[in-house]
Amino acid sequence: MTLRIGVDVGGTKILAVSVDGDGDEIARLRRPTGWGGDAVADGVAAVVADLAGAAPEVAVGVGVPGQILPGSGVVEHALNLGIDRYDLAEGVAARIGIRPAIDNDVRYAAVGAQALRPAGGSLAYLNLGTGVAAGIVDETGPRRGGRGAAGEIGHVPIDPNGPRCRCGQRGCIEAFAGGGAVAERWGGSAPLPVLAVFDAADAGDERAAGIRADVVRGVEAAVRLLVSRPTSTRSPWAGAYPRSPTGSSSRCGPRSPHPPAHLRSCGRCAWTSGSSSRPATCPWVPWAPPFRPRRAEAGARC
């Protein structure tokens, strides 16, 4: 019998589970996540070796944040792990002689969630952890994208004046809604910083209420990205959307409720955040998520 081991690598912990041929759990191990490619490989190799014991046949799957080059085992841009580019499959194999299958952790979770849905169909799974990412599954299986980046929505900016993100940009979804970003903004040593923020907001703490509002704002933007699915094969994080936020299928879309999420004022008309609606003569129209305004084309009916 082949012993199967699944490993989930998160920003703060590595959790591994071994199962038998029927899928029943045998044992599980948990350990802190190291920083950097070699440290992550050390942690994965350690939990796999402990769970595998003397088993003659072992199959290992590892879910890890970041962009996974399809079929390679190479992890890129895993910012919460300190990895820019690292061959994790090769690193683990060099340590224990077992080469694991590597894929994005949230993509694996989406496949698992899809398997539990009796209706089938497509599914978008939004994961809120140390970072923010999504997994997308349809009738053909998980969507990976040409470079394995499908679902990496955490670093889509929604506010150019927002908090600084670990990726170097400002106002990314993850900078608003990621657990790591919330912990940095809140400070302190609470073991569950997001819960601490929400509890403090409930108790009337104004700073906590502001951080909580930003969390909601980031999650809202992520959900809007996922439900505004394009009809073409172009990525919704890099290409044009076929629909406006209001659901119209026209090229520019009708003027959607003003203001877009990140704008405080309009550079082309007198609108400010205190105004109830945008002047009808304003030449700017909101785009679909991430809501970067664009100029209406000459002659376009918006």
Side-chain angles (χ1 to χ4, degrees), residues 16-250:
V17 176
S18 59
V19 298
D20 60 21
D22 296 323
D24 295 324
E25 182 178 325
I26 299 172
R28 66 171 55 202
L29 288 175
R30 173 177 174 146
R31 61 177 288 152
T33 305
W35 183 257
D38 286 335
V40 171
D42 287 342
V44 172
V47 293
V48 170
D50 286 346
L51 290 174
E57 294 185 18
V58 180
V60 180
V62 179
V64 61
Q67 181 177 334
I68 315 301
L69 298 178
S72 70
V74 175
V75 181
E76 293 186 338
H77 311 307
L79 301 177
N80 293 317
L81 301 178
I83 293 176
D84 181 51
R85 191 177 195 276
Y86 185 79
D87 191 335
L88 184 58
E90 183 61 30
V92 173
R95 286 162 170 80
I96 58 174
I98 301 172
R99 185 178 180 86
I102 306 287
D103 208 336
N104 178 269
D105 55 346
V106 181
R107 189 171 299 131
Y108 272 149
V111 171
Q114 175 76 331
L116 299 175
R117 297 177 71 238
S122 62
L123 175 144
Y125 179 98
L126 177 63
N127 186 75
L128 306 176
T130 303
V132 177
I136 302 168
V137 184
D138 60 20
E139 294 81 356
T140 64
R143 299 287 294 273
R144 290 183 169 84
R147 290 186 55 81
E152 289 296 306
I153 63 175
H155 298 289
V156 174
I158 58 173
D159 186 344
N161 298 314
R164 177 75 66 181
C165 183
R166 293 179 180 182
C167 72
Q169 301 182 107
R170 281 195 175 274
C172 294
I173 288 175
E174 186 169 303
F176 286 107
V182 171
E184 290 176 2
R185 294 178 66 189
W186 181 241
S189 57
L192 300 173
V194 176
L195 179 61
V197 167
F198 276 54
D199 285 345
D202 287 340
D205 186 298
E206 292 186 2
R207 187 169 74 92
I211 296 174
R212 181 174 66 178
D214 281 345
V215 171
V216 173
R217 181 180 175 192
V219 173
E220 177 189 30
V223 171
R224 192 177 288 122
L225 272 170
L226 292 171
V227 299
S228 300
R229 234 182 124 175
T231 56
S232 71
T233 58
R234 295 160 73 180
S235 167
W237 304 282
Y241 281 75
R243 293 183 179 274
S244 74
T246 56
S248 168
S249 59
S250 64

Side-chain angles (χ1 to χ4, degrees), residues 276-295:
S276 60
S277 61
R278 174 175 42 200
T281 56
C282 180
W284 291 85
V285 294
W287 201 30
F291 295 132
R292 298 189 184 97
R294 64 184 175 90
R295 186 70 181 270

